[in-house]
Amino acid sequence: MNIAHLLNALPGAVAQGLVWGIAAIGIYITYRILDIADLTVDGSLCTGGAVCIMMMLSGQNVFISIFVATLAGILTGLVTGLFHTLMGIPPILSGILTQLALYSVNLKIMGKANTAINVDKYDLLVSLRYIRGVPFYKNTIFVVAVSILLLVLALYWFFGTELGCGLRATGCNSHMSRAQGINTSLSKVLGLMLSNGLVALSGALLAQYQGFADINMGRGAIVIGLAAVIIGEAAFGRIFHNFGFKLIGVSLGSILYYLVLQAVIWLGVKPDWLKLFSAVVVAIFLAIPYWKGKYFKKSTISKGGRGNATN
């Protein structure tokens, strides 16, 4: 195992982590703010990549392509939201239904399972080739980092508005929010639209970064996003208390996830095991709060019992 190989791969891992960090912020909105595990993201990530690549191949500007890809993701969130609020389908099933439908939609958009784009022929915003040997303003890490900061500022402003506060209140207690006159159905639909728009934006950047859009590129996106959210909270939760910094912590969690993944690959673990590794990491981090609560509860009861016995 040559450590030089690991060091050489780290900038690429950071860049990929930042790209996925945008998706992780989107997943944070549904999972932490709305308290919904939205499985739409496994399909909407691919939708963003497919729309962006196909528009660029047809001659559209990269920024227009990314914008339309984001809109496509917003529409997928709208569909899931309507399934849930208008048709009364539980949110997790709504996401599964939309994800299932998106498989056919994404195939139709691309016309085949995999569509490549050549970085030498098209003016991409980000690329694996833009990690080294390019001006700093064109470096993928710089471009995506600046994009995340702008997104965090925009989201911080939005969640401070009356509409954004209503969305946060809906996630905290939908019954109380409804009693206060908040349209909780609108808040849920809006949150799902915003989340999947960010995931599709991440998909558009990811497709450019890797040089192709693939029908399976979103598979496991919810696990990666949850891993980033949980790792970010575990690593920076005691440091970042402000809402904007929490969003930055989520994107940093995505970077940590990919750095760990790169180290695991460097240690000789076969890529076939990486999905299992991701699932185990997420399961452990999700279980830690439960274990803590159970342990401290037992500890408190036992101490209280000894105290009473002494008295």
Side-chain angles (χ1 to χ4, degrees):
M1 292 183 291
N2 191 345
I3 196 163
H5 293 164
L6 176 62
L7 295 175
N8 190 52
L10 289 184
V14 171
Q16 195 168 0
L18 281 170
V19 171
W20 274 97
I22 298 175
I25 291 173
I27 291 170
Y28 179 87
I29 291 172
T30 51
Y31 181 66
R32 283 299 189 217
I33 297 178
L34 278 181
D35 196 24
I36 293 174
D38 179 30
L39 297 181
T40 312
V41 298
D42 281 21
S44 59
L45 187 107
C46 178
T47 301
V51 170
C52 180
I53 294 299
M54 294 310 295
M55 287 199 67
M56 291 194 70
L57 290 175
S58 66
Q60 294 296 328
N61 177 275
V62 62
F63 294 103
I64 294 175
S65 301
I66 292 173
F67 177 71
V68 175
T70 305
L71 289 180
I74 290 172
L75 287 176
T76 66
L78 174 62
V79 172
T80 300
L82 293 178
F83 277 155
H84 174 47
T85 59
L86 193 63
M87 301 175 69
I89 302 172
I92 193 165
L93 291 179
S94 299
I96 291 171
L97 287 173
T98 308
Q99 177 201 135
L100 183 65
L102 284 174
Y103 188 89
S104 297
V105 172
N106 294 336
L107 273 177
K108 188 67 176 177
I109 291 171
M110 293 189 291
K112 52 185 178 179
N114 186 292
T115 303
I117 189 166
N118 194 325
V119 65
D120 296 321
K121 295 181 180 179
Y122 295 89
D123 188 18
L124 305 182
L125 183 64
V126 296
S127 172
L128 183 59
R129 296 259 296 271
Y130 296 164
I131 299 295
R132 294 184 180 85
V134 294
F136 79 94
Y137 57 83
K138 202 173 181 180
N139 186 288
T140 295
I141 295 175
F142 175 80
V143 171
V144 183
V146 170
S147 301
I148 287 176
L149 288 176
L150 293 175
L151 280 173
V152 168
L153 287 173
L155 290 171
Y156 185 79
W157 168 83
F158 170 74
F159 280 104
T161 63
E162 185 177 348
L163 192 60
C165 288
L167 197 156
R168 295 170 73 177
T170 299
C172 289
N173 191 324
S174 61
H175 298 294
M176 182 61 73
S177 300
R178 197 178 300 112
Q180 295 296 322
I182 296 172
N183 189 335
T184 55
S185 294
L186 176 62
S187 295
K188 289 178 182 179
V189 172
L190 185 62
L192 287 164
M193 291 170 65
L194 182 59
S195 170
N196 284 281
L198 291 173
V199 172
L201 170 60
S202 176
L205 295 175
L206 180 63
Q208 292 180 58
Y209 176 78
Q210 62 191 14
F212 64 90
D214 185 84
I215 193 64
N216 292 315
M217 65 184 287
R219 182 173 292 178
I222 185 67
V223 176
I224 296 173
L226 286 176
V229 170
I230 294 163
I231 291 172
E233 288 178 339
F236 307 104
R238 296 191 177 184
I239 305 172
F240 297 157
H241 300 289
N242 178 276
F243 177 71
F245 283 110
K246 285 183 179 180
L247 296 179
I248 292 175
V250 168
S251 58
L252 292 176
S254 180
I255 295 174
L256 289 176
Y257 171 79
Y258 271 95
L259 288 175
V260 171
L261 214 61
Q262 193 62 54
V264 169
I265 294 172
W266 175 71
L267 289 171
V269 176
K270 293 182 179 179
D272 297 346
W273 293 100
L274 294 182
K275 293 289 185 184
L276 176 62
F277 171 78
S278 302
V280 170
V281 167
V282 172
I284 290 172
F285 274 96
L286 284 173
I288 286 173
Y290 171 75
W291 290 338
K292 276 186 175 179
K294 195 172 181 180
Y295 170 77
F296 284 119
K297 187 177 180 181
K298 284 183 177 180
S299 178
T300 305
I301 291 172
S302 61
K303 286 180 180 178
R306 284 197 300 271
N308 292 335
T310 305
N311 293 333

